[in-house]
Amino acid sequence: MRRRHERHHEGGSDRGGPTVPAIRITRDFAATPAQLFRAHTDPELFVRWVGPDGMTTTVDRWDASTGGSWRYVAARDGVEFGFHGCFHEVRPDRIVQTFTWEGDPDGVALGTLTFEDLGGGRTRLHTKSLCDSFEGRDAMLRSGMDVGVDQGYAKLDALLAAGGIAARTEGAHA
């Protein structure tokens, strides 16, 4: 299985260049776009793979539809980290949402995920997080976010390989 987790710099995320405070990640999955869409919109699936190893995620609210909102809490060793945002656009090939870590409530990122069908049951996921400042972007990168993304997507790979995500697209889950 060819796995691609491309970041503009070796060992780091693409920082979007000197004029745009963005983080870009591109990764290939052995899954259909419908499976990846479902993994990102079904809260029961989302909590099974999101975040770094050893974290437990609990969804507080989840309306994965255009105009809906979400909140979840990730916990490890009694320490909780809350995150929330709004879904601005949810469609089978693209999700646009805001993302706020509640430890920095003034920092808001606008995230866009696109699902590129490569054929043969493979999909390239493109993510772009546009941060509200260069300082916010750099703080997100320093936070260990790349480890959480890497480990989370490895868990998603395993979930997909085990047949844990059926390819159904009849809508998002609340």
Side-chain angles (χ1 to χ4, degrees):
M1 166 169 72
R2 181 174 166 265
R3 205 151 116 201
R4 178 178 174 208
H5 190 165
E6 176 183 293
R7 300 200 214 170
H8 200 58
H9 306 316
E10 233 179 279
S13 293
D14 173 1
R15 294 176 183 254
T19 60
V20 180
I23 301 167
R24 291 182 185 89
I25 299 171
T26 300
R27 192 175 196 291
D28 289 356
F29 287 91
T32 65
Q35 287 173 297
L36 283 186
F37 175 80
R38 187 164 174 234
H40 284 85
T41 57
D42 182 328
E44 292 177 13
L45 294 173
F46 183 78
V47 299
R48 292 175 61 188
W49 65 265
V50 73
D53 296 342
M55 286 283 216
T56 302
T57 300
T58 306
V59 169
D60 179 44
R61 71 177 175 276
W62 192 271
D63 177 8
S65 63
T66 298
S69 66
W70 59 270
R71 181 178 186 274
Y72 67 85
V73 176
R76 177 174 35 207
D77 301 326
V79 179
E80 294 186 342
F81 304 91
F83 303 91
H84 68 270
C86 296
F87 289 102
H88 291 264
E89 180 180 44
V90 178
R91 62 183 206 216
D93 65 332
R94 174 179 151 112
I95 299 170
V96 179
Q97 64 186 35
T98 58
F99 179 90
T100 299
W101 171 52
E102 293 173 358
D104 181 15
D106 293 334
V108 178
L110 179 65
T112 302
L113 291 80
T114 55
F115 308 102
E116 178 187 352
D117 190 348
L118 300 175
R122 299 206 44 86
T123 301
R124 181 163 296 144
L125 173 65
H126 300 274
T127 69
K128 179 169 94 172
S129 296
L130 181 60
C131 301
D132 58 352
S133 68
F134 288 99
E135 295 79 13
R137 179 203 61 195
D138 294 345
M140 188 180 283
L141 291 169
R142 281 192 311 272
S143 75
M145 157 252 181
D146 58 333
V147 172
V149 169
D150 288 343
Q151 291 179 357
Y153 283 153
K155 289 186 282 188
L156 180 53
D157 275 332
L159 187 59
L160 289 160
I165 302 177
R168 113 186 129 152
T169 59
E170 68 267 7
H173 294 75

